[in-house]
Amino acid sequence: MKKISGFIYIILGAAMIMLAAYIVRNNFNESAAAGKASDELLTGVIAQIPGTVLEPDHGDMPVVDVDGKSFIGTVGIPSLNLLLPIQNEWSNENAKYAVCRYLGSVYENNLIIAGHNYVEHFGNLKNLSTGDDVVVTDMNGKSFYFKVSNIETLGAYDVDEMEAGEWDLTLFTCTVGGQNRVTVRCEATGEITETGTTPDVLDAAEKSKHIRK
């Protein structure tokens, strides 16, 4: 009887190991696919940014279309070696391809950007430190510079807290398992690229690993 029980435990243990390996492999594959999709979409977004910075012609952030998806610009996080296109609207489906505007506008200093925890998207937000740079660029080529001010963990359904406060920029992603949200709060530095100059993001795109030659 003890031998049979031991054999069952061995089988269960092996099954658990196989299941864990499958989950890890599946997450890796999803992250790689998300990174590839984001790379391709970023190329399309960069191609539509003008060679010289333009002033906004209205109150809303300009939106462009790339492969049937809508984008408002890019977000760059140099310390994580990330340059990502920002989709105009959040949805679980959209987030499989690129990070998304959850709420607000960079012009109003209340932009919130959400992304899945893929390594190629926002999976490493937890590794940011106070003082790290974040750069948001609109489709007029104008870049807005921010510094990380605070990093906190919120509940998965704590929407009110996510939108609370007068933060100039917020980035967030779910933790593994989706129980909480890693939330990065940023403050504007006041640095904005001047109209008529070459967009900073064009140089950043050339240096980024996300523009693959």
Side-chain angles (χ1 to χ4, degrees):
M1 190 67 177
K2 289 184 179 180
K3 289 184 178 181
I4 294 176
S5 297
F7 181 73
I8 292 175
Y9 286 132
I10 291 173
I11 294 297
L12 288 175
M16 293 296 289
I17 291 172
M18 291 178 65
L19 177 61
Y22 171 79
I23 291 173
V24 170
R25 181 182 179 85
N26 186 61
N27 288 344
F28 178 83
N29 289 340
E30 282 189 5
S31 181
K36 182 179 179 181
S38 188
D39 290 343
E40 294 171 351
L41 292 167
L42 176 62
T43 301
V45 169
I46 294 296
Q48 296 189 56
I49 289 179
T52 57
V53 177
L54 306 175
E55 282 291 346
D57 56 6
H58 52 73
D60 297 327
M61 294 184 70
V63 178
V64 300
D65 179 86
V66 179
D67 294 339
K69 300 183 184 302
S70 298
F71 293 85
I72 58 170
T74 67
V75 57
I77 309 176
S79 64
L80 298 182
N81 198 25
L82 287 179
L83 180 62
L84 303 169
I86 308 169
Q87 293 188 84
N88 184 37
E89 295 182 351
W90 160 264
S91 74
N92 282 321
E93 182 63 24
N94 282 345
K96 293 178 181 178
Y97 304 96
V99 301
C100 309
R101 169 164 59 177
Y102 181 79
L103 193 70
S105 166
V106 72
Y107 302 157
E108 301 296 330
N109 282 335
N110 61 0
L111 181 61
I112 301 177
I113 303 173
H116 278 322
N117 59 7
Y118 304 131
V119 172
E120 296 282 353
H121 287 184
F122 275 179
N124 284 324
L125 286 187
K126 62 183 180 296
N127 296 327
L128 287 173
S129 301
T130 300
D132 282 348
D133 295 317
V134 180
V135 186
V136 175
T137 303
D138 70 8
M139 290 310 304
N140 286 323
K142 187 176 288 290
S143 292
F144 300 76
Y145 287 77
F146 303 85
K147 292 282 188 183
V148 173
S149 179
N150 184 52
I151 301 174
E152 57 186 323
T153 301
L154 301 178
Y157 302 103
D158 201 348
V159 176
D160 290 340
E161 185 64 23
M162 175 64 65
E163 299 176 7
E166 297 183 358
W167 299 103
D168 297 323
L169 173 69
T170 295
L171 315 175
F172 76 87
T173 188
C174 290
T175 56
V176 176
Q179 296 300 311
N180 296 297
R181 290 174 174 174
V182 176
T183 306
V184 177
R185 309 291 197 178
C186 306
E187 294 182 352
T189 66
E191 181 183 356
I192 302 173
T193 49
E194 295 182 8
T195 301
T197 60
T198 301
D200 300 340
V201 72
L202 298 183
D203 182 58
E206 287 298 319
K207 296 176 180 177
S208 173
K209 69 176 184 179
H210 289 274
I211 296 291
R212 293 175 178 164
K213 305 300 182 184

